[in-house]
Amino acid sequence: MLPSAPIRVLIADDIPELRTLLRTTLQGRGFELVGEAGDGRETLTLAVDREPDVVVLDLGMPGVDGPDLVAELRRRAPAVRVVALSAFPAPETRRRALDLGAHACLDKDVDPDQLVATLREVCGRAFGPVALPPPRGLEGLAADELERLWSTLAAAPVATAVVGPDGRFLRINAALSALVGHPEAALLAAGYQAVVHPEDRDTDIEQLQRLLTGEATGFQLQQRCRRVDGQAISVLCNTWLATTQRGDPLHLDGQGRPRFVVRQLVDLREGRRPEDQLAWRATHDALTGLPNRSLFLDRLEMTLARLGRDPALADVLVVDLDRFKEVAERFGDDAVDRLLVAVAGRLRSILRPSDTVSRFGSDEFAVLCPDLAHERDAVRLAERMTAGLATPFAVGGQEIVVSASIGIALTGSRTRRAESLLSDADTALQRAKHRGGGIYELFDETVRAQLIERLELEQALRQAVDADELRALYQPIVSLKEGRLVGVEALVRWDQPGRGQLLPAEFVPFAEETGLIVPLGAWVLAEGCRQAARWRANGPRTLPPTVHVNLSPRQFAEPHLIDLVAGALADTGTDPDRLCLEVTERALAANPASAATTLKRLSALGVHVSVDDFGTGYSSLASLQYLPLSSLKIDRSFVARLDLDPSDDAMVAAVIGLGHTLGLTVIAEGVETSRQLAKLDQLGCDYAQGYLFARPETASRVGELLGHDRRWQ
Ligand code: C2E
Ligand code: MG
Ligand code: MG
């Protein structure tokens, strides 16, 4: 049955004038007349032969018992719908007609529009195609359970229904009929999907499926509903299974599938019930329909007040999508909005109805579980949430994969304030983010201690530059052909009073996160340039070594980088040709367009740029070939494998080949054994750096090596 196909009608009335009247009423309004019958026998014959969608049946034809004819029609032509018309107010006849299978019963002098609407309704056309069995009653235990469930829901001021697993409405409250404008009988005949906008049906069915297969116990979706007048209205649909306190679903059938699903629709239309609408908007997020931060805090306060008298635990989880900016840039605003709605739905489906899921803004969500038996439950829940969100989202025909970080804070023995609990959860979230995302972290006293330690470290590092606590060591880079020292890499160290010399691993990532890498890196750059100028002045050699200086992703993205480099060269009188900046693949790939611009400007200054840790990132040949680069540094993990597995030789050979194809010098990092050296030499690698030649050394030690014109064989 296509929604655009006309509704095929058989008219059955003994009075020709009334048949004509009906015919003219239906003409031109999407109906096709398949026949007219003047008595019971003719009605049955035509109904069977011509297979109309609906029979408009006069209940008072002479010599025929109307309701009996309805029953006979339904028996012989089960697919046919029956709209009965009765001339007299005969409630008993009507009731019998409906009991015996009429889909609707109207007065004979019904308003033509009302008749048309009813015919459309019973044929499911106002709703689009539906092919659902007529409502059946439930039996025994199930019926009792349904009654009990419904008794708690029927009076809800919100549109509410209990729906069977096949999509049939089992119970509908008055608010729902009023919202969609269909009488209860029509809704019972049509089923839930008939009121859902066709474009929203797939998502709805997909989510429902998760409930029916036990994957979730609830979900929340913003969807469009179709009203009787054809208008699409925006609603927030909450759907859930009744569960026990522990969250186990109730009302399962013999196969463990839920018998009932509860659905509530909140009207989101502008101007609907102004008081409610205003209050609703002040407390909810407009995009996802979830409670907003202020409602969340309210509920948290209430929970905390209750917990004061209760041994139970409450739990606050804050959820943040990882690399959300990248996702937004890649897929655009529209897709992102839909993604956020889907994320909201997914979170809702993972949680119990008694939990609060809230959206604070952007990609930040928060969850309140007001009653937990044990801390472990909080962790399990976070596990379910990270796993649940890791399943790809289908948004507008494309698949979006996201991951989320979660921070957890529990109410402890101490009385806590809502805001401080939330800020603890935030702290735990930040930690999850620092650890790379996709995980959850629990806020506890250890976390708090670490937080304080980090704050102290930040303070100390901030002062390190001024307090002259930074040192630069220089590790030789050797040409394989002649064994000569052709360059040095400047590697920073921090002489922290009382803690000895710290390696970059202990503070560079931290400096990168906090932005302190910018002043720190500027110091290394200036120091490296000063040193290059000194070696040129002192050294006996014609060509002093190239000084390599590392640039972190953040430094590389700094808008003042070019000025900084130009300034360092000018201040120290260093030849730009003697400076090489090392940039990781990741920094280049983070923003290829601006990376290309920066590289061009650096190249215009005359300095070299090397791709550091090559092979660990994700540059493609295509992205590198147009960039003004001088060299590639093969990451030491590849070099290390040269000792282990001959098949890794191919990988290194390919990188060297790629570098040469692009006209770049290839430098191997972390060369520790003569076997690695021999292989690299054989594969045509140009330069090497590693403990086999020298460790990072002080500037004066490098000066000595240069003085002796040390050669490595
Ligand atoms: P990187 O740029 O890849 O530097 C090479 C690292 O490998 C250095 O570690 C060096 O000491 C180490 N290395 C050299 N030869 C060998 C070897 O044969 N075997 C082994 N196992 N390791 C070797 P370091 O000095 O700890 O630096 C680590 C990282 O810290 C550097 O990796 C670089 O990414 C970063 N870094 C160091 N100094 C700076 C700096 O001034 N600024 C910035 N932004 N980052 C820096
Ligand atoms: Mg480096
Ligand atoms: Mg490296």
Side-chain angles (χ1 to χ4, degrees):
M1 222 197 234
L2 291 169
S4 54
I7 296 174
R8 305 175 72 251
V9 187
L10 171 67
I11 294 175
D13 198 310
D14 59 315
I15 304 167
E17 287 78 3
L18 287 180
R19 293 203 297 266
T20 309
L21 199 63
L22 279 171
R23 196 166 55 230
T24 43
T25 300
L26 300 181
Q27 251 162 18
R29 302 189 66 173
F31 298 90
E32 180 193 327
L33 207 64
V34 300
E36 292 181 17
D39 60 38
R41 183 191 303 269
E42 213 182 343
T43 307
L44 288 171
T45 313
L46 290 177
V48 171
D49 287 347
R50 306 210 178 151
E51 298 180 343
D53 295 318
V54 61
V55 181
V56 180
L57 175 72
D58 174 17
L59 284 180
M61 288 193 283
V64 183
D65 177 79
D68 281 353
L69 181 56
V70 170
E72 191 62 11
L73 264 174
R74 297 299 320 269
R75 205 175 58 75
R76 293 218 207 156
V80 168
R81 294 166 193 249
V82 180
V83 171
L85 302 178
S86 73
F88 323 104
E92 177 52 30
T93 311
R94 283 167 181 244
R95 195 171 318 124
R96 276 187 59 229
L98 288 171
D99 286 346
L100 291 170
H103 294 79
C105 197
L106 301 170
D107 276 339
K108 253 192 154 174
D109 59 357
V110 60
D111 170 51
D113 287 342
Q114 173 69 47
L115 176 64
V116 166
T118 307
L119 288 172
R120 286 192 187 146
E121 267 166 29
V122 301
C123 293
R125 296 305 166 80
F127 311 112
V130 279
L132 286 162
R136 276 178 282 128
L138 291 171
E139 278 144 34
L141 188 62
D144 291 348
E145 284 180 0
L146 177 60
E147 253 3 280
R148 230 171 310 144
L149 177 64
W150 188 240
S151 66
T152 63
L153 295 165
V158 182
T160 306
V162 178
V163 180
D166 54 359
R168 278 187 303 143
F169 280 115
L170 298 173
R171 290 290 183 278
I172 296 162
N173 74 353
L176 180 63
S177 283
L179 178 70
V180 292
H182 293 291
E184 191 181 324
L187 288 170
L188 285 172
Y192 185 81
Q193 289 309 321
V195 299
V196 182
H197 192 282
E199 281 171 27
D200 293 341
R201 266 184 215 153
D202 288 351
T203 319
D204 191 67
I205 290 169
E206 184 192 312
Q207 290 292 324
L208 263 180
Q209 217 44 45
R210 290 163 49 79
L211 295 200
L212 298 177
T213 54
E215 255 181 87
T217 57
F219 64 90
Q220 188 170 49
L221 272 181
Q222 193 177 332
Q223 58 183 206
R224 283 159 298 172
C225 238
R226 299 214 308 186
R227 277 184 51 83
V228 67
D229 53 11
Q231 190 196 353
I233 55 173
S234 172
V235 296
L236 182 73
C237 174
N238 268 309
T239 305
W240 70 90
L241 305 177
T243 60
T244 62
Q245 272 293 312
R246 287 184 39 222
D248 301 324
L250 286 167
H251 313 317
L252 300 180
D253 66 11
Q255 281 105 54
R257 282 164 57 99
R259 281 204 186 98
F260 323 119
V261 174
V262 183
R263 313 204 74 168
Q264 270 185 342
L265 305 180
V266 179
D267 189 349
L268 298 182
R269 276 174 301 169
E270 202 75 40
R272 243 336 89 162
R273 285 176 304 177
E275 333 72 55
D276 296 3
Q277 200 64 21
L278 260 179
W280 193 88
R281 278 167 43 166
T283 50
H284 288 80
D285 167 45
L287 177 66
T288 59
L290 294 178
N292 64 11
R293 189 189 168 100
S294 89
L295 182 55
F296 184 87
L297 279 173
D298 264 9
R299 293 201 183 157
L300 183 53
E301 296 282 7
M302 271 164 56
T303 304
L304 292 177
R306 178 176 58 78
L307 282 181
R309 311 181 294 272
D310 201 314
L313 277 173
D315 168 25
V316 169
L317 299 102
V318 289
V319 185
D320 194 276
L321 299 185
D322 299 324
R323 285 171 288 283
F324 182 67
K325 263 221 206 94
E326 284 172 34
V327 174
E329 271 166 24
R330 174 139 174 240
F331 294 97
D333 291 348
D334 200 42
V336 161
D337 279 358
R338 293 213 247 163
L339 173 69
L340 289 170
V341 171
V343 166
R346 194 141 326 151
L347 285 176
R348 216 22 299 176
S349 75
I350 293 165
L351 297 157
R352 290 173 304 171
S354 56
D355 300 333
T356 297
V357 186
S358 158
R359 177 169 176 247
F360 283 7
S362 181
D363 57 327
E364 207 185 325
F365 294 86
V367 171
L368 166 65
C369 301
D371 47 359
L372 285 181
H374 197 278
E375 285 184 20
R376 273 198 308 271
D377 296 345
V379 170
R380 275 201 203 110
L381 179 62
E383 272 164 7
R384 284 218 305 276
M385 284 162 59
T386 39
L389 293 175
T391 312
F393 288 88
V395 170
Q398 45 193 352
E399 203 169 74
I400 303 186
V401 182
V402 296
S403 69
S405 301
I406 298 179
I408 310 171
L410 290 154
T411 52
S413 45
R414 286 178 297 145
T415 340
R416 303 288 290 274
R417 288 184 41 81
E419 287 280 5
S420 80
L421 202 59
L422 207 50
S423 104
D424 287 354
D426 252 330
T427 306
L429 171 71
Q430 293 317 319
R431 228 170 70 114
K433 289 258 167 202
H434 289 143
R435 291 188 45 202
I439 53 168
Y440 61 86
E441 281 282 342
L442 195 67
F443 183 91
D444 59 18
E445 292 310 314
T446 335
V447 178
R448 193 194 297 275
Q450 281 173 6
L451 179 73
I452 291 168
E453 196 182 317
R454 283 175 66 86
L455 288 172
E456 284 170 359
L457 180 65
E458 185 175 341
Q459 189 60 24
L461 189 55
R462 205 176 283 285
Q463 288 163 0
V465 180
D466 293 337
D468 194 25
E469 292 167 8
L470 296 180
R471 306 279 170 266
L473 296 184
Y474 300 90
Q475 186 177 32
I477 298 171
V478 175
S479 81
L480 293 190
K481 231 186 248 142
E482 305 161 293
R484 268 183 45 225
L485 191 159
V486 291
V488 290
E489 178 175 7
L491 294 160
V492 70
R493 299 290 182 265
W494 180 11
D495 282 336
Q496 201 191 9
R499 283 188 65 185
Q501 193 166 70
L502 303 189
L503 288 171
E506 295 169 87
F507 61 94
V508 165
F510 178 75
E512 177 71 4
E513 272 164 35
T514 52
L516 288 172
I517 193 72
V518 175
L520 186 153
W523 180 86
V524 178
L525 178 67
E527 186 63 20
C529 287
R530 254 192 306 277
Q531 204 50 62
R534 262 183 234 139
W535 281 322
R536 192 194 50 195
N538 302 343
R541 293 157 29 110
T542 43
L543 198 60
T546 307
V547 175
H548 288 239
V549 173
N550 291 287
L551 291 185
S552 76
R554 192 139 169 176
Q555 289 174 272
F556 186 64
E558 257 292 290
H560 306 300
L561 177 67
I562 308 298
D563 295 342
L564 187 76
V565 174
L569 292 170
D571 291 349
T572 54
T574 304
D575 176 1
D577 182 49
R578 295 296 86 202
L579 179 64
C580 178
L581 300 173
E582 295 192 1
V583 183
T584 60
E585 275 188 279
R586 247 163 227 285
L588 291 177
N591 191 343
S594 74
T597 316
T598 308
L599 290 178
K600 278 189 198 113
R601 296 220 195 121
L602 288 172
S603 156
L605 288 180
V607 303
H608 300 280
V609 175
S610 183
V611 184
D612 202 356
D613 305 343
F614 189 80
T616 59
Y618 27 70
S619 359
S620 66
L621 175 60
S623 69
L624 289 183
Q625 63 182 331
Y626 302 110
L627 298 176
L629 298 166
S630 303
S631 49
L632 289 183
K633 295 187 85 174
I634 304 180
D635 191 66
R636 69 164 173 274
S637 56
F638 294 102
V639 174
R641 277 187 253 150
L642 284 177
D643 271 344
L644 304 172
D645 186 348
S647 69
D648 283 315
D649 296 7
M651 175 72 200
V652 175
V655 173
I656 294 172
L658 163 64
H660 288 163
T661 310
L662 297 175
L664 307 177
T665 306
V666 180
I667 307 171
E669 289 184 299
V671 181
E672 293 181 350
T673 68
S674 36
R675 193 184 141 106
Q676 291 164 352
L677 176 62
K679 281 212 176 148
L680 288 164
D681 197 18
Q682 185 197 334
L683 294 172
C685 185
D686 305 291
Y687 299 159
Q689 175 186 355
Y691 296 167
L692 180 65
F693 307 101
R695 299 212 161 224
E697 311 281 1
T698 59
S700 63
R701 174 78 188 120
V702 173
E704 283 171 28
L705 293 174
L706 289 170
H708 300 144
D709 193 14
R710 167 83 153 95
R711 298 288 172 119
W712 287 267
Q713 284 317 311

